[in-house]
Amino acid sequence: AIWRQAWGDQKLLLAAMAALWLVFPWLYLWLWAQVPTENFQLILNLIPKGWQKLSGVPIAGVATPAGRVALALVDPIVVLGATVWGVTRGSDIVAGPLERGTLEMVLASPVRRGTVYATNAAATITGGAVLCSVLLVGTWTAVAFGPWSGKLDPMQFAPAVFNVFGLMTCMAGLAAFFSATGNHRSRVIGIMCAFYVLSLLAKLVGRMSDGFAAAGWLSIFNAFEPQQLVSGTADAWLLTARYDAVLIGIGLAAYLLGGILFTRRDLPAPL
């Protein structure tokens, strides 16, 4: 029953994001295919060298078909979508039903707090895996049958999609941790929005300034680099494993700590 309820709560968001992520790679590749590679290279050369550091890869690599496809996976449609999924579902694990007054009814039945928490966490992570599978299918088909058909191996973008899953798990775990300690979902979402902005700024500062390069290590986005994972070699999978070990490790650790705190905390009386 808890599993069905969890899926019921997230099915609309899951369906909407799945439809968007299935179509987006096709639209993205079609739009960029309208710009010849030579012209795209000229556009990139206009970017100041200092700003080129933000790409995470050499500009020459970005101008290739593989590099241009990889940019789809760092597009706001994907990055913000992954963040929205993690934050909305993670924040709803405790603070959401507590604020709505439904958590007490669930816990009134013969079920442990840990079971409720773990089931919702599993549903969120499984939903993220489903969405990334849809994104992989959309990317695979767009590369295999789209404007650059025959020029690229569609499976070389699989490691980059796995990196997106790592980001989703990390954000969901952190949101669940704050949700397990709070009473209001809106506050949890506010905390996560601030965390997102600060993490993004830390990465930008670390990339742009040699003197503050260490700031980049304070950002979870330092382990989110899909554009570096499209070489199609074993090294890409090794780098993905390293990045996802950080992201998924942080997410699971946050889930675990949040679960411990939730099972031991006092819940406020319903209003």
Side-chain angles (χ1 to χ4, degrees):
I2 300 174
W3 179 262
R4 288 196 301 270
Q5 181 181 357
W7 274 97
D9 290 342
Q10 68 185 26
K11 64 181 180 181
L12 291 179
L13 180 60
L14 182 70
M17 286 189 59
L20 177 63
W21 279 8
L22 184 63
V23 175
F24 172 70
W26 279 91
L27 179 61
Y28 190 93
L29 266 63
W30 179 81
L31 288 174
W32 277 117
Q34 310 307 307
V35 182
T37 301
E38 297 77 12
N39 294 349
F40 188 61
Q41 179 70 64
L42 291 175
I43 295 173
L44 293 177
N45 289 337
L46 295 176
I47 301 175
K49 290 187 177 180
W51 287 92
Q52 291 180 10
K53 297 178 181 178
L54 297 177
S55 67
V57 294
I59 289 297
V62 176
T64 64
R68 293 165 77 175
V69 174
L71 289 179
L73 299 175
V74 292
D75 188 270
I77 293 292
V78 174
V79 179
L80 290 180
T83 302
V84 165
W85 174 264
V87 172
T88 55
R89 298 315 310 149
S91 64
D92 199 45
I93 197 168
V94 175
L98 190 61
E99 190 173 37
R100 294 191 297 269
T102 58
L103 182 61
E104 293 81 2
M105 293 185 292
V106 173
L107 296 178
S109 59
V111 59
R112 295 183 177 180
R113 289 189 187 185
T115 301
V116 175
Y117 183 91
T119 301
N120 280 276
T124 298
I125 294 174
T126 303
V130 170
L131 287 174
C132 286
S133 298
V134 171
L135 180 61
L136 180 59
V137 170
T139 305
W140 191 95
T141 55
V143 172
F145 306 108
W148 290 321
S149 175
K151 296 182 179 180
L152 299 167
D153 177 12
M155 288 308 298
Q156 75 184 82
F157 302 99
V161 175
F162 273 85
N163 199 209
V164 175
F165 174 72
L167 177 64
M168 298 176 82
T169 303
C170 181
M171 296 300 287
L174 290 171
F177 167 75
F178 290 114
S179 179
T181 61
N183 300 331
H184 301 283
R185 188 184 185 193
S186 57
R187 292 180 183 176
V188 176
I189 293 175
I191 290 172
M192 289 304 300
C193 288
F195 173 79
Y196 177 91
V197 172
L198 291 175
S199 293
L200 193 58
L201 289 176
K203 180 176 181 177
L204 293 177
V205 170
R207 284 280 172 83
M208 295 292 293
S209 173
D210 293 336
F212 293 95
W217 294 102
L218 301 176
S219 172
I220 61 168
F221 291 108
N222 209 44
F224 180 70
E225 300 284 1
Q227 70 275 25
Q228 297 181 5
L229 308 174
V230 297
S231 63
T233 64
D235 289 340
W237 284 105
L238 291 174
L239 189 57
T240 301
R242 193 174 79 185
Y243 284 157
D244 277 10
V246 174
L247 293 174
I248 296 177
I250 292 174
L252 293 181
Y255 264 126
L256 179 60
L257 184 57
I260 294 173
L261 294 175
F262 173 56
T263 56
R264 297 180 178 181
R265 66 172 287 193
D266 293 328
L267 297 179
L271 298 178

PDB file of all heavy atoms in Angstrom, residues 49-69:
ATOM      1  N   LYS A  49      38.738  33.177 -23.695  1.00  0.00           N
ATOM      2  CA  LYS A  49      39.417  31.980 -23.202  1.00  0.00           C
ATOM      3  C   LYS A  49      39.132  31.705 -21.727  1.00  0.00           C
ATOM      4  O   LYS A  49      39.065  30.553 -21.307  1.00  0.00           O
ATOM      5  CB  LYS A  49      40.930  32.117 -23.433  1.00  0.00           C
ATOM      6  CG  LYS A  49      41.327  32.032 -24.901  1.00  0.00           C
ATOM      7  CD  LYS A  49      42.835  32.008 -25.064  1.00  0.00           C
ATOM      8  CE  LYS A  49      43.214  31.840 -26.529  1.00  0.00           C
ATOM      9  NZ  LYS A  49      44.685  31.809 -26.728  1.00  0.00           N
ATOM     10  N   GLY A  50      38.981  32.761 -20.962  1.00  0.00           N
ATOM     11  CA  GLY A  50      38.666  32.566 -19.555  1.00  0.00           C
ATOM     12  C   GLY A  50      37.334  31.859 -19.351  1.00  0.00           C
ATOM     13  O   GLY A  50      37.194  31.004 -18.478  1.00  0.00           O
ATOM     14  N   TRP A  51      36.364  32.191 -20.194  1.00  0.00           N
ATOM     15  CA  TRP A  51      35.046  31.577 -20.082  1.00  0.00           C
ATOM     16  C   TRP A  51      35.022  30.168 -20.644  1.00  0.00           C
ATOM     17  O   TRP A  51      34.145  29.370 -20.312  1.00  0.00           O
ATOM     18  CB  TRP A  51      34.008  32.441 -20.808  1.00  0.00           C
ATOM     19  CG  TRP A  51      33.695  33.703 -20.080  1.00  0.00           C
ATOM     20  CD1 TRP A  51      34.290  34.914 -20.240  1.00  0.00           C
ATOM     21  CD2 TRP A  51      32.735  33.871 -19.032  1.00  0.00           C
ATOM     22  NE1 TRP A  51      33.761  35.831 -19.373  1.00  0.00           N
ATOM     23  CE2 TRP A  51      32.792  35.225 -18.624  1.00  0.00           C
ATOM     24  CE3 TRP A  51      31.829  33.019 -18.413  1.00  0.00           C
ATOM     25  CZ2 TRP A  51      31.987  35.734 -17.620  1.00  0.00           C
ATOM     26  CZ3 TRP A  51      31.019  33.526 -17.411  1.00  0.00           C
ATOM     27  CH2 TRP A  51      31.096  34.872 -17.023  1.00  0.00           C
ATOM     28  N   GLN A  52      35.978  29.855 -21.517  1.00  0.00           N
ATOM     29  CA  GLN A  52      36.017  28.514 -22.097  1.00  0.00           C
ATOM     30  C   GLN A  52      36.291  27.445 -21.041  1.00  0.00           C
ATOM     31  O   GLN A  52      35.982  26.274 -21.248  1.00  0.00           O
ATOM     32  CB  GLN A  52      37.081  28.461 -23.199  1.00  0.00           C
ATOM     33  CG  GLN A  52      36.726  29.266 -24.431  1.00  0.00           C
ATOM     34  CD  GLN A  52      37.789  29.199 -25.519  1.00  0.00           C
ATOM     35  OE1 GLN A  52      38.726  28.392 -25.437  1.00  0.00           O
ATOM     36  NE2 GLN A  52      37.672  30.043 -26.532  1.00  0.00           N
ATOM     37  N   LYS A  53      36.847  27.865 -19.900  1.00  0.00           N
ATOM     38  CA  LYS A  53      37.119  26.908 -18.818  1.00  0.00           C
ATOM     39  C   LYS A  53      35.830  26.280 -18.289  1.00  0.00           C
ATOM     40  O   LYS A  53      35.843  25.182 -17.733  1.00  0.00           O
ATOM     41  CB  LYS A  53      37.852  27.594 -17.667  1.00  0.00           C
ATOM     42  CG  LYS A  53      39.226  28.153 -18.018  1.00  0.00           C
ATOM     43  CD  LYS A  53      39.823  28.854 -16.809  1.00  0.00           C
ATOM     44  CE  LYS A  53      41.174  29.458 -17.118  1.00  0.00           C
ATOM     45  NZ  LYS A  53      41.734  30.180 -15.933  1.00  0.00           N
ATOM     46  N   LEU A  54      34.717  26.987 -18.458  1.00  0.00           N
ATOM     47  CA  LEU A  54      33.453  26.507 -17.911  1.00  0.00           C
ATOM     48  C   LEU A  54      32.946  25.261 -18.620  1.00  0.00           C
ATOM     49  O   LEU A  54      32.124  24.524 -18.070  1.00  0.00           O
ATOM     50  CB  LEU A  54      32.388  27.611 -18.003  1.00  0.00           C
ATOM     51  CG  LEU A  54      32.677  28.889 -17.200  1.00  0.00           C
ATOM     52  CD1 LEU A  54      31.584  29.910 -17.445  1.00  0.00           C
ATOM     53  CD2 LEU A  54      32.788  28.568 -15.719  1.00  0.00           C
ATOM     54  N   SER A  55      33.415  25.025 -19.839  1.00  0.00           N
ATOM     55  CA  SER A  55      32.911  23.877 -20.596  1.00  0.00           C
ATOM     56  C   SER A  55      33.364  22.550 -20.009  1.00  0.00           C
ATOM     57  O   SER A  55      32.703  21.526 -20.187  1.00  0.00           O
ATOM     58  CB  SER A  55      33.347  23.973 -22.062  1.00  0.00           C
ATOM     59  OG  SER A  55      34.753  23.820 -22.158  1.00  0.00           O
ATOM     60  N   GLY A  56      34.492  22.548 -19.307  1.00  0.00           N
ATOM     61  CA  GLY A  56      34.991  21.304 -18.731  1.00  0.00           C
ATOM     62  C   GLY A  56      35.750  20.431 -19.703  1.00  0.00           C
ATOM     63  O   GLY A  56      36.383  19.447 -19.310  1.00  0.00           O
ATOM     64  N   VAL A  57      35.668  20.753 -20.994  1.00  0.00           N
ATOM     65  CA  VAL A  57      36.385  20.019 -22.041  1.00  0.00           C
ATOM     66  C   VAL A  57      36.942  21.034 -23.020  1.00  0.00           C
ATOM     67  O   VAL A  57      36.472  22.173 -23.087  1.00  0.00           O
ATOM     68  CB  VAL A  57      35.455  19.032 -22.790  1.00  0.00           C
ATOM     69  CG1 VAL A  57      34.996  17.919 -21.862  1.00  0.00           C
ATOM     70  CG2 VAL A  57      34.261  19.751 -23.387  1.00  0.00           C
ATOM     71  N   PRO A  58      37.959  20.667 -23.808  1.00  0.00           N
ATOM     72  CA  PRO A  58      38.484  21.594 -24.809  1.00  0.00           C
ATOM     73  C   PRO A  58      37.396  22.037 -25.787  1.00  0.00           C
ATOM     74  O   PRO A  58      36.519  21.248 -26.148  1.00  0.00           O
ATOM     75  CB  PRO A  58      39.574  20.778 -25.516  1.00  0.00           C
ATOM     76  CG  PRO A  58      39.973  19.746 -24.512  1.00  0.00           C
ATOM     77  CD  PRO A  58      38.732  19.408 -23.754  1.00  0.00           C
ATOM     78  N   ILE A  59      37.458  23.291 -26.194  1.00  0.00           N
ATOM     79  CA  ILE A  59      36.455  23.821 -27.115  1.00  0.00           C
ATOM     80  C   ILE A  59      36.412  23.032 -28.415  1.00  0.00           C
ATOM     81  O   ILE A  59      35.353  22.840 -29.018  1.00  0.00           O
ATOM     82  CB  ILE A  59      36.749  25.312 -27.399  1.00  0.00           C
ATOM     83  CG1 ILE A  59      36.428  26.148 -26.159  1.00  0.00           C
ATOM     84  CG2 ILE A  59      35.941  25.811 -28.577  1.00  0.00           C
ATOM     85  CD1 ILE A  59      34.967  26.118 -25.757  1.00  0.00           C
ATOM     86  N   ALA A  60      37.579  22.544 -28.852  1.00  0.00           N
ATOM     87  CA  ALA A  60      37.612  21.748 -30.076  1.00  0.00           C
ATOM     88  C   ALA A  60      36.754  20.501 -29.948  1.00  0.00           C
ATOM     89  O   ALA A  60      36.122  20.048 -30.906  1.00  0.00           O
ATOM     90  CB  ALA A  60      39.059  21.362 -30.414  1.00  0.00           C
ATOM     91  N   GLY A  61      36.694  19.933 -28.740  1.00  0.00           N
ATOM     92  CA  GLY A  61      35.866  18.755 -28.521  1.00  0.00           C
ATOM     93  C   GLY A  61      34.387  19.079 -28.508  1.00  0.00           C
ATOM     94  O   GLY A  61      33.552  18.278 -28.926  1.00  0.00           O
ATOM     95  N   VAL A  62      34.051  20.270 -28.029  1.00  0.00           N
ATOM     96  CA  VAL A  62      32.651  20.684 -27.998  1.00  0.00           C
ATOM     97  C   VAL A  62      32.101  20.842 -29.407  1.00  0.00           C
ATOM     98  O   VAL A  62      30.912  20.601 -29.658  1.00  0.00           O
ATOM     99  CB  VAL A  62      32.502  22.006 -27.214  1.00  0.00           C
ATOM    100  CG1 VAL A  62      31.063  22.508 -27.245  1.00  0.00           C
ATOM    101  CG2 VAL A  62      32.965  21.822 -25.777  1.00  0.00           C
ATOM    102  N   ALA A  63      32.969  21.245 -30.342  1.00  0.00           N
ATOM    103  CA  ALA A  63      32.521  21.504 -31.710  1.00  0.00           C
ATOM    104  C   ALA A  63      32.248  20.234 -32.510  1.00  0.00           C
ATOM    105  O   ALA A  63      31.626  20.296 -33.563  1.00  0.00           O
ATOM    106  CB  ALA A  63      33.563  22.357 -32.440  1.00  0.00           C
ATOM    107  N   THR A  64      32.695  19.084 -32.041  1.00  0.00           N
ATOM    108  CA  THR A  64      32.461  17.836 -32.755  1.00  0.00           C
ATOM    109  C   THR A  64      31.009  17.387 -32.575  1.00  0.00           C
ATOM    110  O   THR A  64      30.327  17.830 -31.635  1.00  0.00           O
ATOM    111  CB  THR A  64      33.391  16.730 -32.241  1.00  0.00           C
ATOM    112  OG1 THR A  64      33.073  16.463 -30.859  1.00  0.00           O
ATOM    113  CG2 THR A  64      34.850  17.166 -32.348  1.00  0.00           C
ATOM    114  N   PRO A  65      30.509  16.512 -33.456  1.00  0.00           N
ATOM    115  CA  PRO A  65      29.141  16.003 -33.269  1.00  0.00           C
ATOM    116  C   PRO A  65      28.919  15.374 -31.902  1.00  0.00           C
ATOM    117  O   PRO A  65      27.886  15.607 -31.265  1.00  0.00           O
ATOM    118  CB  PRO A  65      29.005  14.969 -34.396  1.00  0.00           C
ATOM    119  CG  PRO A  65      29.909  15.480 -35.474  1.00  0.00           C
ATOM    120  CD  PRO A  65      31.082  16.075 -34.749  1.00  0.00           C
ATOM    121  N   ALA A  66      29.890  14.602 -31.410  1.00  0.00           N
ATOM    122  CA  ALA A  66      29.749  13.984 -30.091  1.00  0.00           C
ATOM    123  C   ALA A  66      29.674  15.041 -28.999  1.00  0.00           C
ATOM    124  O   ALA A  66      28.877  14.938 -28.057  1.00  0.00           O
ATOM    125  CB  ALA A  66      30.913  13.038 -29.824  1.00  0.00           C
ATOM    126  N   GLY A  67      30.497  16.081 -29.123  1.00  0.00           N
ATOM    127  CA  GLY A  67      30.479  17.150 -28.135  1.00  0.00           C
ATOM    128  C   GLY A  67      29.180  17.918 -28.150  1.00  0.00           C
ATOM    129  O   GLY A  67      28.663  18.319 -27.101  1.00  0.00           O
ATOM    130  N   ARG A  68      28.619  18.084 -29.325  1.00  0.00           N
ATOM    131  CA  ARG A  68      27.353  18.823 -29.430  1.00  0.00           C
ATOM    132  C   ARG A  68      26.197  17.999 -28.877  1.00  0.00           C
ATOM    133  O   ARG A  68      25.278  18.554 -28.265  1.00  0.00           O
ATOM    134  CB  ARG A  68      27.123  19.213 -30.886  1.00  0.00           C
ATOM    135  CG  ARG A  68      28.146  20.220 -31.373  1.00  0.00           C
ATOM    136  CD  ARG A  68      28.176  20.355 -32.880  1.00  0.00           C
ATOM    137  NE  ARG A  68      27.057  21.138 -33.375  1.00  0.00           N
ATOM    138  CZ  ARG A  68      26.918  21.471 -34.658  1.00  0.00           C
ATOM    139  NH1 ARG A  68      27.822  21.073 -35.542  1.00  0.00           N
ATOM    140  NH2 ARG A  68      25.876  22.183 -35.049  1.00  0.00           N
ATOM    141  N   VAL A  69      26.233  16.692 -29.061  1.00  0.00           N
ATOM    142  CA  VAL A  69      25.212  15.838 -28.455  1.00  0.00           C
ATOM    143  C   VAL A  69      25.353  15.869 -26.936  1.00  0.00           C
ATOM    144  O   VAL A  69      24.358  15.917 -26.190  1.00  0.00           O
ATOM    145  CB  VAL A  69      25.319  14.395 -28.973  1.00  0.00           C
ATOM    146  CG1 VAL A  69      24.350  13.479 -28.226  1.00  0.00           C
ATOM    147  CG2 VAL A  69      25.033  14.341 -30.469  1.00  0.00           C
TER     148      VAL A  69
END
